Amino acid sequence: MSSRVHTSIDPGPQGTASPRADVSPVGWVPDQPMDAILDVLRRGERFLVCSHSRPDGDAVGSMLAMGMLLGQMGKRADLVTADRIPNIYRALPGAEDIRTAMRVHGPYDAVILLECDGPDRTRLLGMESFYLVNIDHHATGRNFGHLNWIDRDAASVGELVYRLIKAAGAQITPEIATCIYTTVLTDTGGFCYGGIQPSTFALAEELTRAGADPIQIAREVYFSTPTSKLLLAGAALTNLKRDGRLAWLWVTHADMIRTCAAEEDCEGIVNYALAISGVEGAAFFRELPEGCIRLSLRSKGRLDVAAIAARLGGGGHENAAGVTLDGPISQAIELILAELKSGIAAIQPGFETAR
Ligand code: AMP
Ligand code: MN
């Protein structure tokens, strides 16, 4: 097992959370967290599948694929998120079945949390009473669940769901392949960054052979941009700043209103700053209606932005992370530039603002 795979199993109902006795793998600690999760799925009847708020491609695709696995197993699965599914993922098979809610309740045998470093990341209320199964691949992933499977080498959580589906002996339908391919495509930024390994391409090949259509999926994800997103990018680009190896840009709430932008239109804007030659760290700041600042951090190479985000209460991956900060924007920018400069200095002493 990879040293980057972490598992922990809480077998008993000692805590306040109350795993249903018939699904909890009491007294049995298997070698693989995947086996323990499969056991929970086999024993239960009804599951809630959730992911983080403002769902991205990995969140949506892995939820849908998990729902399809449970369907093949003859189980009932409710798919719930706090925020609506972005337009570019609405064409995914089954996307119309994902419900939005503020609170969850129901006779669930377990809640499957995908891509979350804690129940709060879902922004759904009412999680505390359930048996929680945590499947994640973030550098900042935590063993918060009763059953935890965190593999930091996986390109996406969808890749982990895929392994689970294969281990369950379920069929990789074209619909499942499409959802999983979308998780891999989007979490690697179109096979550009993140934890890409030779196996990532092997997985993409398998999924393509199983019926995922890379051209159609790319068309939905990368060539269905609403005009509002480009207008918002234009506003952000007028605020683009560069200092040595760092670049950053921002939009105010007024920019959002003026361009008729939706929250999902902010996705990827940070990459304009990261794309600049010589830039190793990039930040995109968005002013929220209530005055807080939503920050997206990106880096190339060894600059660890997950560590910066985690110090400030957020999280993510080494090269892609996020957090919500106090406003105003000027203060958030000052804070983050100081963090990024010391991050650069730590890996390249003396070069922190070199051009
Ligand atoms: P974003 O910039 O919002 O696209 O996020 C980049 C990466 O960081 C994604 O993998 C997110 O799941 C992760 N991330 C963003 N915000 C948080 C947070 N508050 N806590 C943990 N992980 C986060
Ligand atoms: Mn992910």
Side-chain angles (χ1 to χ4, degrees), residues 33 67 84 105 117 139 141 172 184 198 260 263 272 274 305 310:
R84 61 184 214 118
H105 51 85
D117 57 7
I172 308 294
V184 177
C260 297
E263 204 167 16
Y272 289 108
L274 189 68
V305 289

Side-chain angles (χ1 to χ4, degrees), residues 51-52 56-59 62 114-115 136-138 154-158 183 186-188 317:
S51 189
H52 53 79
D56 59 10
D58 194 16
S62 58
L114 303 165
E115 274 236 297
D136 195 8
H137 73 136
H138 285 101
S156 64
V157 166
T183 73
T186 56
D187 256 30
T188 59
H317 306 281

Side-chain angles (χ1 to χ4, degrees), residues 52 54 117 121 138 267 294 296 298 314-317 320-323:
H52 53 79
R54 300 187 312 110
D117 57 7
R121 182 100 169 90
H138 285 101
E267 182 82 40
R294 175 73 211 164
S296 282
R298 298 291 185 272
H317 306 281
V323 62

Side-chain angles (χ1 to χ4, degrees), residues 1 5-9 30-39 133 147-150 164:
M1 192 190 292
V5 179
H6 289 252
T7 170
S8 91
I9 296 163
D31 291 341
Q32 293 282 345
M34 193 173 68
D35 293 338
I37 292 173
L38 269 183
D39 194 59
V133 176
L147 198 48
N148 301 280
W149 182 20
I150 303 170
L164 197 63

Side-chain angles (χ1 to χ4, degrees), residues 232-288:
L232 186 71
L237 287 170
T238 61
N239 296 330
L240 177 68
K241 295 279 182 281
R242 163 101 190 254
D243 180 1
R245 291 169 195 266
L246 303 178
W248 64 99
L249 68 188
W250 70 88
V251 291
T252 62
H253 184 55
D255 290 326
M256 296 286 292
I257 305 273
R258 186 172 46 78
T259 57
C260 297
E263 204 167 16
E264 67 201 64
D265 292 334
C266 297
E267 182 82 40
I269 287 183
V270 64
N271 290 326
Y272 289 108
L274 189 68
I276 298 170
S277 172
V279 163
E280 301 206 9
F284 170 61
F285 301 82
R286 172 166 64 98
E287 185 185 41
L288 302 178

